Amino acid sequence: MTDCIFCKIANGELGTDLIYEDEQVVAFRDLNPQAPIHVLVIPRRHVATLNDLDAADSDLIGRMYLAARSLAVREGIAERGYRTLINCNAEAGQTVFHLHLHLLGGRPMGWPPG
Ligand code: 5GP
Ligand code: ZN
């Protein structure tokens, strides 16, 4: 999608530092971090929400989680603990409609989430 900010980031159009890349997935640091470590893992392909994935995308969503796990190790938070989450649609607080997995860590996390 030409007007999607995360498509532009994945394509390198905005000069955002990509801290993880494979054929299907990229990751970069959140612009407005909510924790000392806050990374977004996204598919290169434009997918608006988690609702838009189907069974054929099981490899894609698996790669996103495995990338998050690798990044947690690299960022030094794997043993302490970290949180991964996907906000889907308005009531969950999704603001960018290109699927993204949040990786958050480096501080204690509250539960239940807000
Ligand atoms: P959502 O609320 O949709 O789950 O999360 C969207 C996230 O994208 C927010 O945490 C927001 O800070 C982040 N974000 C929005 N625009 C940009 C951007 O242009 N660059 C980066 N790195 N993060 C962004
Ligand atoms: Zn997009």
Side-chain angles (χ1 to χ4, degrees):
M1 271 202 12
T2 51
D3 61 345
C4 170
I5 192 127
F6 284 4
C7 281
K8 287 180 179 162
I9 288 174
N11 291 336
E13 287 175 50
L14 299 185
T16 304
D17 187 28
L18 300 179
I19 61 171
Y20 175 88
E21 284 191 78
D22 67 29
E23 317 86 78
Q24 293 189 53
V25 169
V26 304
F28 51 91
R29 295 190 194 282
D30 198 290
L31 193 62
N32 183 24
Q34 301 301 312
I37 307 295
H38 188 174
V39 172
L40 301 174
V41 181
I42 72 168
R44 288 187 184 274
R45 183 181 114 222
H46 184 82
V47 177
T49 79
L50 189 58
N51 289 340
D52 299 299
L53 291 186
D54 59 31
D57 295 313
S58 58
D59 183 57
L60 176 64
I61 193 77
R63 281 170 178 260
M64 288 171 66
Y65 273 93
L66 290 172
R69 185 192 67 174
S70 297
L71 285 158
V73 171
R74 204 200 289 169
E75 297 287 324
I77 54 173
E79 297 308 319
R80 291 172 61 182
Y82 58 92
R83 184 167 292 170
T84 57
L85 67 92
I86 293 173
N87 294 322
C88 183
N89 277 339
E91 207 159 293
Q94 185 174 3
T95 58
V96 177
F97 285 83
H98 179 130
L99 179 65
H100 50 281
L101 174 62
H102 294 260
L103 166 66
L104 295 143
R107 65 165 171 81
M109 299 284 156
W111 193 264

